[in-house]
Amino acid sequence: MLAPLPIDAILPELLDALRRRRRAVLHAPPGAGKTTRVPLALRDAGLARGRIVMLEPRRIAARAAAERMAQTLGEPVGRTVGYRIRGESAVSSETRIEVVTEGVLTRVIQSDPELAGIGAVIFDEIHERSLAADLGLALCLEIAGALREDLILLAMSATPETEALAALMQAPVIRAEGRSFPVETRWLDRPLPAGARFEAAVADLVARAVAETGGGVLVFLPGEGEIRRVGGLLHGRLPGDCAIRPLYGALPLAAQRAAIRPDRDARKVVLSTSVAETSLTIEDVRVVVDGGRARRARFDPGSGMTRLVTERVTRAEATQRAGRAGRVAPGIAFRLWSRGEEGALAAHPPAEIEAADLAGLALELALWGAAPEALPFPTPPPPAAYAEAVALLRMLGALDARGGITPHGRHLAALPLHPRL
């Protein structure tokens, strides 16, 4: 028997909305159980006339969600519940729930615009506003309006700002309460001095957090390099019962699982990228250490290339991170900035479509045969950036003078690479 989760209380209302409207927006905070309970409930209700496809923004989260749902059913992954990510899949003829990464859905849509055999598409963590998710939602809304009135579309968000999305989808908003314990926030007494080394400051704060608290510790860092350097600085500084576990996308599967699953023999200190903000649940965490930085892709018009930049987190991201400390018991969140610095943080991160290289998007839309203004994007692509992307594709021979896709462009679109590559 599964222990009840907050999402269970609103499942009848959600299923009724999908039965009547075929569309809904679900707001459920991290820990409510939306990722693992909703697809199974949709399958059990028999509302979807075909497979249920759920999008996850990251490979780690896609695999973990599929494994958790399969475990709930007492089955191996690839039977009733499977997953598909780039270069790896676990599906079979019996699979009824498929967890995929966002780029996989775009390929499925382009190869089969009617989405034959698919009865429902769920956009998990839609609030992260990735470019692939925005494109997938826009295409699915067009498919549902023109070809598939029976297609169920559900967008699930961990943040409460859902009104604009609901208006775009013409869908009701269903809200679930979170299940969380109070989290005490501890800031630095004063800002870090100029010239302070970031990794050393994080390591100092982690050592302090371990000394002052109990339970698992989740440390947020911007990338793999910082995780390795902080991990090196912590060796020999933590008590002998502490186990340092890195967590990032390129990590081998066994190491990812070691970071996610509870550890009864050691006090776990997980050094993670933003993957642990909303998409994953690490059950034994009671302490969060937030380094206050996030890595984002930014398009540089001067070079015509995208580069990764490290920026301050937004207040929304900091709130999401802190909430991870209150999942199993009252928790504590340590922040690597002073309370006075908090007001200078931006409220929300920008949608990826506002700052990304749009060459891939322009190629997908040319393959689809639609201009961006003809599709229901949550945030329309900026005209200047889109025009630059089209100009690049023409130079590469992917588009003709009228903007139509060429045979060469079709070959480029079939490859999981930037058109330049």
Side-chain angles (χ1 to χ4, degrees):
M1 186 74 177
L2 290 173
L5 288 172
I7 198 72
D8 297 335
I10 57 90
L11 282 176
E13 181 185 2
L14 175 63
L15 295 173
D16 182 61
L18 293 175
R19 185 178 291 108
R20 291 184 294 106
R21 303 281 294 273
R22 315 304 289 179
R23 300 180 188 181
V25 176
L26 171 62
H27 164 241
K34 60 185 182 297
T35 299
T36 54
R37 293 290 176 88
V38 170
L40 292 173
L42 190 54
R43 182 204 67 140
D44 293 344
L47 296 182
R49 299 163 192 167
R51 295 194 316 280
I52 298 166
V53 174
M54 182 168 72
L55 273 73
E56 285 293 336
R58 299 176 180 87
R59 290 175 296 173
I60 298 177
R63 192 189 292 112
E67 289 177 348
R68 176 59 178 157
M69 283 189 281
Q71 183 183 38
T72 299
L73 297 176
E75 298 178 354
V77 176
R79 204 177 198 172
T80 302
V81 182
Y83 67 86
R84 273 195 289 168
I85 60 180
R86 183 181 296 179
E88 184 184 343
S89 67
V91 295
S92 68
S93 59
E94 298 179 64
T95 301
R96 293 296 172 263
I97 299 173
E98 223 176 291
V99 189
V100 304
T101 44
E102 294 160 338
V104 171
L105 177 67
T106 305
R107 297 270 62 80
V108 170
I109 292 173
Q110 294 284 23
S111 62
D112 179 12
E114 291 190 17
L115 294 180
I118 295 175
V121 182
I122 301 172
F123 296 83
D124 196 16
E125 312 295 359
I126 191 70
H127 62 275
E128 294 196 9
R129 297 299 312 281
S130 74
L131 184 57
D134 280 5
L135 173 61
L137 179 60
L139 294 178
C140 282
L141 286 171
E142 183 169 75
I143 291 169
L147 302 172
R148 290 284 309 278
E149 291 184 358
D150 65 310
L151 184 65
I152 289 176
L153 297 178
L154 172 61
M156 304 198 300
S157 173
T159 59
E161 295 80 12
T162 54
E163 287 73 16
L165 180 62
L168 178 76
M169 295 179 63
Q170 299 180 2
V173 177
I174 311 297
R175 300 190 184 276
E177 297 298 323
R179 183 184 69 176
S180 62
F181 294 88
V183 176
E184 175 192 348
T185 302
R186 297 182 185 178
W187 292 269
L188 298 182
D189 294 332
R190 59 184 63 84
L192 288 175
R197 187 180 168 208
F198 173 70
E199 288 89 348
V202 173
D204 289 343
L205 190 56
V206 172
R208 173 190 160 193
V210 169
E212 295 180 3
T213 64
V217 180
L218 175 59
V219 185
F220 283 102
L221 294 160
E224 179 183 348
E226 291 85 352
I227 287 174
R228 291 184 182 276
R229 289 189 288 274
V230 171
L233 291 169
L234 287 174
H235 276 296
R237 293 189 61 182
L238 302 182
D241 64 339
C242 289
I244 298 174
R245 306 290 189 200
L247 181 60
Y248 51 88
L251 202 64
L253 179 57
Q256 292 177 7
R257 286 176 171 155
I260 295 170
R261 64 172 176 247
D263 192 334
R264 296 180 180 178
D265 299 323
R267 184 180 182 190
K268 202 163 59 179
V269 178
V270 180
L271 308 181
S272 176
T273 61
S274 59
V275 66
E277 274 180 25
T278 57
S279 303
L280 286 175
T281 294
I282 305 176
E283 296 178 1
D284 49 352
V285 166
R286 293 179 60 183
V287 180
V288 163
V289 176
D290 189 350
R293 296 187 183 182
R295 191 150 289 151
R296 314 188 201 282
R298 288 287 183 268
F299 179 60
D300 181 4
S303 66
M305 299 295 286
T306 297
R307 59 192 179 93
L308 291 174
V309 298
T310 303
E311 301 177 341
R312 298 291 300 272
V313 295
T314 63
R315 291 196 297 274
E317 290 169 314
T319 299
Q320 293 280 359
R321 294 177 176 189
R324 288 309 193 181
R327 294 294 309 280
V328 296
I332 300 174
F334 292 81
R335 290 178 171 172
L336 194 66
W337 62 91
S338 68
R339 192 165 192 167
E341 293 176 284
E342 190 125 324
L345 300 179
H348 300 279
E352 187 180 359
I353 200 170
E354 297 177 284
D357 180 358
L358 300 182
L361 173 67
L363 186 59
E364 293 290 351
L365 292 186
L367 183 62
W368 184 252
E373 56 270 18
L375 291 175
F377 279 99
T379 300
Y386 191 81
E388 188 168 342
V390 169
L392 170 65
L393 294 177
R394 284 176 176 153
M395 183 184 72
L396 296 175
L399 302 182
D400 59 27
R402 295 184 179 181
I405 194 165
T406 65
H408 181 57
R410 292 183 183 275
H411 286 301
L412 294 184
L415 299 173
L417 297 168
H418 188 281
R420 285 181 184 274
L421 301 178

